[in-house]
Amino acid sequence: GGWSRALSNRERPGFVRMSNKKTLPAAVNFATGGIGGIGAWVIVHPFNTVAVRMNLATASGNSEGLGFVPFFQQIVKKDGAMSLYKGLSAGVMRQVFYATSRLGLFDVMRDALAKYREIDVWSRLAVGVASGACAAVVSCPAEVSLVRMSNDSALPPELRRNYKSVVDAAVRIAREEGIFAYWRGCMPFVNRAMLVGACQVGTYDQLKSTFNQLGVTGKFSNVFCASMTSGLFYASVTMPFETAKNRMASQRPDPVTKLLPYRSTVQTIGTIAKTEGVLSLWNGFWPYYLRCGGHTVFCFIIVEQLKSLYLSR
């Protein structure tokens, strides 16, 4: 079976709805989802780097109130264009776990649930939220490495961790901070994944129909417009949780008390809003939005082509 129309290109960008005569094996769904996620991430990784640095700028004392484009230009001028790809190995590793498990688990959970009840929009919503949450927990170690590696060069030299690769980051985090440091920021990451699923279920399919009525009927153009518009909505809703996740993943213990400044999602969001202003929760919004929408579009294209290639054998 294929995904429902409500989730066909949303929770799982690029899923090709199959007839009953020819369906894809679960292993192919896992593999194409992972490859699509990795390919799309390579394209949007620079946006993620800028988003993380802008988001953490106030925390590191480097905020100059710059907008997206000036901030982007400043990074390229100061550190070079290739600095935008710092942390790419961690980003790819994140997709190996997050995209693969999120897309694959949706199939497994949906098919298991179908044995007991008809799969309606509420069932798909529940499965989408649950699969996203599970994938976030599984991929959180890679997410912590990604946040730290993306922002490292923006820190003062004495505060940089200077991870050489995602493997080096994984080994050093475990050795220097303990295994549980892999899951710092896990709860806001899970909350964000669940909200993405919920927001997309509520907006993506309707937007596809709306753009179709407006004359945007091309397969790619319709998906592009719906993805980017839906992405604008869910990026706005999930950005505070992204901010909390970034702060918790990158934080260090207080040198005096040895306590971590951020301890939970609610406490982190509340502390940032109180000390830096509510709008600081949306620092780095535009590159974050381009990352979200862009990843959905490119993942859709890659996964669709891979599945079409598999079926044409």
Side-chain angles (χ1 to χ4, degrees), residues 64-129:
E64 299 177 12
L66 297 178
F68 167 40
V69 175
F71 195 93
F72 180 93
Q73 293 173 330
Q74 184 185 72
I75 292 175
V76 173
K77 183 178 180 180
K78 180 181 177 182
D79 302 321
M82 290 309 297
S83 67
L84 295 170
Y85 275 96
K86 286 188 176 179
L88 179 62
S89 60
V92 169
M93 188 63 67
R94 175 189 186 272
Q95 292 300 311
V96 168
F97 290 104
Y98 183 71
T100 303
S101 57
R102 182 188 180 201
L103 308 185
L105 283 173
F106 186 97
D107 274 340
V108 174
M109 293 180 176
R110 179 206 58 204
D111 293 344
L113 187 61
K115 297 176 182 179
Y116 303 98
R117 57 168 294 165
E118 182 181 353
I119 300 299
D120 55 16
V121 65
W122 297 110
S123 301
R124 292 189 294 270
L125 174 60
V127 171
V129 168

Side-chain angles (χ1 to χ4, degrees), residues 41 44 47-48 94 192 242 287-295:
W41 186 264
V44 303
F47 293 124
N48 181 75
R94 175 189 186 272
R192 176 198 171 276
E242 177 77 2
Y288 173 63
Y289 157 61
L290 291 174
R291 184 201 99 180
C292 293
H295 189 268

Side-chain angles (χ1 to χ4, degrees), residues 19-262:
S19 68
N20 291 331
K21 294 181 180 180
K22 203 164 189 179
T23 58
L24 289 171
V28 174
N29 287 326
F30 273 92
T32 55
I35 295 171
I38 292 169
W41 186 264
V42 171
I43 297 171
V44 303
H45 183 82
F47 293 124
N48 181 75
T49 299
V50 179
V52 171
R53 290 198 190 182
M54 286 186 71
N55 190 247
L56 293 174
T58 52
S60 58
N62 295 325
S63 177
E64 299 177 12
L66 297 178
F68 167 40
V69 175
F71 195 93
F72 180 93
Q73 293 173 330
Q74 184 185 72
I75 292 175
V76 173
K77 183 178 180 180
K78 180 181 177 182
D79 302 321
M82 290 309 297
S83 67
L84 295 170
Y85 275 96
K86 286 188 176 179
L88 179 62
S89 60
V92 169
M93 188 63 67
R94 175 189 186 272
Q95 292 300 311
V96 168
F97 290 104
Y98 183 71
T100 303
S101 57
R102 182 188 180 201
L103 308 185
L105 283 173
F106 186 97
D107 274 340
V108 174
M109 293 180 176
R110 179 206 58 204
D111 293 344
L113 187 61
K115 297 176 182 179
Y116 303 98
R117 57 168 294 165
E118 182 181 353
I119 300 299
D120 55 16
V121 65
W122 297 110
S123 301
R124 292 189 294 270
L125 174 60
V127 171
V129 168
S131 60
C134 292
V137 173
V138 170
S139 61
C140 197
E143 184 73 21
V144 170
S145 300
L146 172 62
V147 170
R148 293 184 177 190
M149 293 175 72
S150 297
N151 190 60
D152 206 43
S153 61
L155 298 173
E158 67 274 11
L159 295 179
R160 294 176 187 173
R161 294 181 170 96
N162 296 314
Y163 297 134
K164 298 181 179 65
S165 67
V166 65
V167 175
D168 180 51
V171 172
R172 284 184 51 193
I173 289 171
R175 184 176 65 236
E176 297 169 8
E177 304 172 55
I179 294 295
F180 290 110
Y182 286 141
W183 282 273
R184 283 183 189 163
C186 183
M187 282 313 300
F189 187 28
V190 169
N191 297 149
R192 176 198 171 276
M194 295 170 72
L195 277 171
V196 167
C199 291
Q200 288 181 328
V201 166
T203 63
Y204 183 87
D205 193 53
Q206 180 58 49
L207 285 166
K208 285 194 71 181
S209 299
T210 299
F211 280 112
N212 190 62
Q213 292 170 4
L214 292 173
V216 184
T217 56
K219 189 172 185 180
F220 173 75
S221 60
N222 184 270
V223 168
F224 178 84
C225 292
S227 296
M228 297 306 289
T229 307
S230 177
L232 181 62
F233 176 72
Y234 79 74
S236 301
V237 174
T238 63
M239 187 72 201
F241 295 92
E242 177 77 2
T243 298
K245 180 263 294 178
N246 288 342
R247 293 292 181 94
M248 294 178 74
S250 63
Q251 66 183 329
R252 297 173 183 269
D254 184 276
V256 178
T257 65
K258 306 302 181 183
L259 298 176
L260 293 170
Y262 304 117

